[in-house]
Amino acid sequence: MINFLRRKKQYLWLFGFLAVTLASFVFGFNPGKEVFGNFTQFFIEMVTFIPFLFIIVGLFDVWFPKEQVEKHIGQESGIKGILIVIVLAMLQAGPLYGAFPVAYILYKKGASIKNIFIYLGAFSSLKIPMLGMEIGYLGIQFTLARTLVSLPLFIAVGYFMEWYLKDRDFKINKI
Amino acid sequence: MGIRNIPAAGTHRKRSRVNNHFRSFVGTDPHQLEVIMINNAFIFIIVSIVLTLLSLLLDRKKTVMGLKKGWKMFQNIAIPFLNILILVSLALYVVPPSLIVKYLGPGSGWGGQMIAAIVGSITLIPGFISYPIASVLIKEGASYAIVATFMTTLMMVGVVTLPLEIAYFGRKVAILRNVLNFITAIVIGTFVGFIL
């Protein structure tokens, strides 16, 4: 029921906007027209790439299931271990708090402290759908620059966390 | 931003604010940014076609499954996404670009970056919604450093979700992670601004 109402609310916004726009054009209300002009631009910008992005994301999802990558967590260490957690993070979607339960699973599977925090870093900035959006909206140059700067930094954060927490009995609680 | 009042040479078509800003932002070549956008679209279209064909060649069933999955994800975000576009269009009309340039432009220095980092840390904006906002900020004159800082804190620092994070990791670790990532985000922003 709540879900249903929420859905309705979303459409309400859209229809309200369309109604105001229509009225703006009928009565010659300039601000309304200008806002609609902005909206059309954004809409075109979105339509030119977002549907294609989801084709790519959907295909990625079936060809590289995260479950398969998850199997290797904890067994590998060193650079290979880091690579695996980064790839796993890239295959995810959703907000950061969705990464905490996965961090718990990594912890249970015996991933190192360093890799758990590298996972959280990679999760927040290297998810494939998000990279696609970023390329579409901010350009490949921005995306590359941000990614290449971020990657070493959150690996460094991972090393720091491991160094700091090693003798401080670190644990992740199940919720 | 006097450029906005100068009619574009050769076009009598009425242009909206965004478009005019494409011009002032790019400077010398007014069509450069539009070209980048179109190129982007081409990249996405070509990559998705090639991947779909390749996938079809390898496994028909999997391909159909993947396309269905993608379509479902698209459906899930379509309406919220349209709503956010409405909101951004409204905000763009209400907020004068001079304000954005003043507080988030290249001249705003550390102050602007701190504003971006704090706002990014506190707000809980889903990633896919933040990109159109970021792209508008850049078009309206915000600097790359500030936008990168904002995006990074948005993704890596969560003040609102801190209680949840504390429940998982404990108070000390959760706070430490957020503080570290806050600092990291500012460093990332600074470097990105330096590169671009």
Side-chain angles (χ1 to χ4, degrees):
Chain A
M1 186 62 196
I2 287 166
N3 235 331
F4 177 75
L5 276 177
R6 201 174 282 164
R7 283 239 132 139
K8 277 259 149 112
K9 209 171 95 192
Q10 289 177 345
Y11 285 109
L12 219 65
W13 250 108
L14 196 61
F15 284 125
F17 173 68
L18 290 178
V20 171
T21 302
L22 197 69
S24 302
F25 275 92
V26 171
F27 298 109
F29 180 57
N30 271 328
K33 283 189 195 171
E34 218 174 297
V35 170
F36 184 70
N38 289 341
F39 176 77
T40 330
Q41 295 242 341
F42 291 136
F43 185 73
I44 293 169
E45 193 177 33
M46 168 194 143
V47 164
T48 51
F49 79 92
I50 301 244
F52 302 101
L53 170 65
F54 279 98
I55 292 178
I56 300 168
V57 170
L59 288 175
F60 243 92
D61 212 57
V62 283
W63 282 104
F64 304 99
K66 355 179 214 275
E67 294 76 20
Q68 218 158 10
V69 184
E70 250 175 45
K71 271 195 292 199
H72 299 284
I73 296 295
Q75 303 159 1
E76 304 279 357
S77 55
I79 292 181
K80 218 170 168 186
I82 294 178
L83 271 178
I84 289 173
V85 284
I86 290 177
V87 169
L88 179 66
M90 288 178 80
L91 296 174
Q92 310 281 337
L96 183 60
Y97 55 79
F100 300 147
V102 183
Y104 171 75
I105 294 169
L106 296 187
Y107 167 74
K108 272 277 135 185
K109 287 194 159 192
S112 62
I113 299 175
K114 172 188 79 202
N115 284 354
I116 289 170
F117 285 98
I118 291 175
Y119 174 80
L120 289 177
F123 180 92
S124 50
S125 57
L126 290 176
K127 284 168 290 185
I128 286 168
M130 293 295 119
L131 286 182
M133 286 286 233
E134 192 173 352
I135 293 170
Y137 272 109
L138 300 172
I140 186 102
Q141 256 188 326
F142 180 90
T143 310
L144 265 179
R146 192 194 56 76
T147 312
L148 292 180
V149 171
S150 309
L151 200 63
L153 279 169
F154 58 61
I155 290 176
V157 168
Y159 272 96
F160 177 86
M161 291 302 259
E162 179 157 281
W163 167 79
Y164 179 76
L165 294 169
K166 207 149 56 186
D167 308 315
R168 286 182 162 80
D169 102 293
F170 170 75
K171 68 177 195 319
I172 302 179
N173 307 304
K174 191 181 176 170
I175 295 184
Chain B
M1 292 277 118
I3 273 173
R4 213 187 325 148
N5 301 322
I6 302 167
T11 48
H12 297 285
R13 196 155 58 93
K14 232 180 144 186
R15 291 200 171 248
S16 77
R17 232 165 92 177
V18 186
N19 222 337
N20 273 326
H21 270 277
F22 273 137
R23 307 172 159 259
S24 58
F25 169 64
V26 182
T28 46
D29 184 358
H31 291 295
Q32 203 181 324
L33 213 87
E34 281 161 9
V35 170
I36 290 173
M37 227 174 79
I38 293 165
N39 274 346
N40 254 336
F42 267 115
I43 294 171
F44 277 102
I45 292 168
I46 289 166
V47 170
S48 59
I49 290 173
V50 169
L51 284 181
T52 310
L53 288 179
L54 191 75
S55 173
L56 265 175
L57 266 171
L58 290 170
D59 190 331
R60 215 189 135 90
K61 230 173 99 186
K62 259 189 179 176
T63 310
V64 175
M65 230 165 77
L67 293 180
K68 270 189 186 159
K69 250 185 183 168
W71 173 243
K72 222 173 171 179
M73 284 188 255
F74 177 69
Q75 271 185 318
N76 279 337
I77 75 148
I79 298 296
F81 204 84
L82 281 179
N83 286 335
I84 220 64
L85 293 189
I86 293 172
L87 225 90
V88 175
S89 311
L90 261 172
L92 193 62
Y93 180 78
V94 176
V95 181
S98 55
L99 209 71
I100 295 175
V101 173
K102 188 178 167 198
Y103 289 105
L104 303 174
S108 61
W110 288 102
Q113 215 173 348
M114 279 313 277
I115 295 175
I118 291 168
V119 172
S121 303
I122 294 171
T123 48
L124 193 70
I125 307 174
F128 69 88
I129 282 170
S130 65
Y131 291 105
I133 297 174
S135 110
V136 168
L137 285 177
I138 285 184
K139 282 171 200 160
E140 297 287 290
S143 74
Y144 281 113
I146 284 171
V147 171
T149 306
F150 172 67
M151 300 300 289
T152 310
T153 46
L154 205 57
M155 293 186 283
M156 295 173 82
V157 184
V159 172
V160 182
T161 52
L162 196 59
L164 184 70
E165 195 173 341
I166 288 173
Y168 275 102
F169 294 94
R171 183 180 297 275
K172 197 177 63 188
V173 175
I175 291 173
L176 181 66
R177 193 197 69 82
N178 278 285
V179 170
L180 266 180
N181 281 340
F182 186 85
I183 297 165
T184 312
I186 290 174
V187 176
I188 289 172
T190 309
F191 270 106
V192 169
F194 191 69
I195 293 170
L196 292 176

